[in-house]
mmCIF file of all heavy atoms in Angstrom:
data_model
loop_
_atom_site.group_PDB
_atom_site.id
_atom_site.type_symbol
_atom_site.label_atom_id
_atom_site.label_comp_id
_atom_site.label_asym_id
_atom_site.label_seq_id
_atom_site.Cartn_x
_atom_site.Cartn_y
_atom_site.Cartn_z
ATOM 1 N N VAL A 1175 -8.552 -4.648 -3.582
ATOM 2 C CA VAL A 1175 -9.571 -5.145 -4.592
ATOM 3 C C VAL A 1175 -9.735 -6.622 -4.172
ATOM 4 O O VAL A 1175 -10.984 -7.189 -4.371
ATOM 5 C CB VAL A 1175 -8.975 -5.037 -6.051
ATOM 6 C CG1 VAL A 1175 -10.111 -5.620 -7.039
ATOM 7 C CG2 VAL A 1175 -8.720 -3.604 -6.461
ATOM 8 N N VAL A 1215 7.664 -15.884 -5.402
ATOM 9 C CA VAL A 1215 7.482 -16.955 -4.474
ATOM 10 C C VAL A 1215 8.807 -17.796 -4.124
ATOM 11 O O VAL A 1215 8.782 -18.552 -3.565
ATOM 12 C CB VAL A 1215 6.310 -17.899 -4.851
ATOM 13 C CG1 VAL A 1215 5.075 -17.310 -4.994
ATOM 14 C CG2 VAL A 1215 6.710 -18.598 -6.269
ATOM 15 N N ARG A 1469 -28.707 2.113 -2.635
ATOM 16 C CA ARG A 1469 -29.388 1.620 -3.923
ATOM 17 C C ARG A 1469 -28.299 1.347 -4.925
ATOM 18 O O ARG A 1469 -27.277 1.962 -4.819
ATOM 19 C CB ARG A 1469 -30.467 2.545 -4.320
ATOM 20 C CG ARG A 1469 -30.101 3.959 -4.529
ATOM 21 C CD ARG A 1469 -31.249 4.779 -4.591
ATOM 22 N NE ARG A 1469 -31.063 6.294 -4.666
ATOM 23 C CZ ARG A 1469 -30.813 6.905 -5.848
ATOM 24 N NH1 ARG A 1469 -30.799 6.247 -7.020
ATOM 25 N NH2 ARG A 1469 -30.539 8.233 -5.827
ATOM 26 N N GLY A 1473 -23.420 5.535 -3.848
ATOM 27 C CA GLY A 1473 -22.930 5.452 -2.499
ATOM 28 C C GLY A 1473 -21.517 5.931 -2.313
ATOM 29 O O GLY A 1473 -20.785 6.044 -3.340
ATOM 30 N N LEU A 1666 -22.206 -6.300 11.249
ATOM 31 C CA LEU A 1666 -21.212 -7.359 11.004
ATOM 32 C C LEU A 1666 -21.740 -8.560 11.517
ATOM 33 O O LEU A 1666 -22.048 -8.752 12.698
ATOM 34 C CB LEU A 1666 -19.868 -7.017 11.739
ATOM 35 C CG LEU A 1666 -18.822 -8.098 11.669
ATOM 36 C CD1 LEU A 1666 -18.316 -8.146 10.234
ATOM 37 C CD2 LEU A 1666 -17.662 -7.641 12.501
#
Side-chain angles (χ1 to χ4, degrees):
V1175 179
V1215 296
R1469 55 194 173 88
L1666 177 67

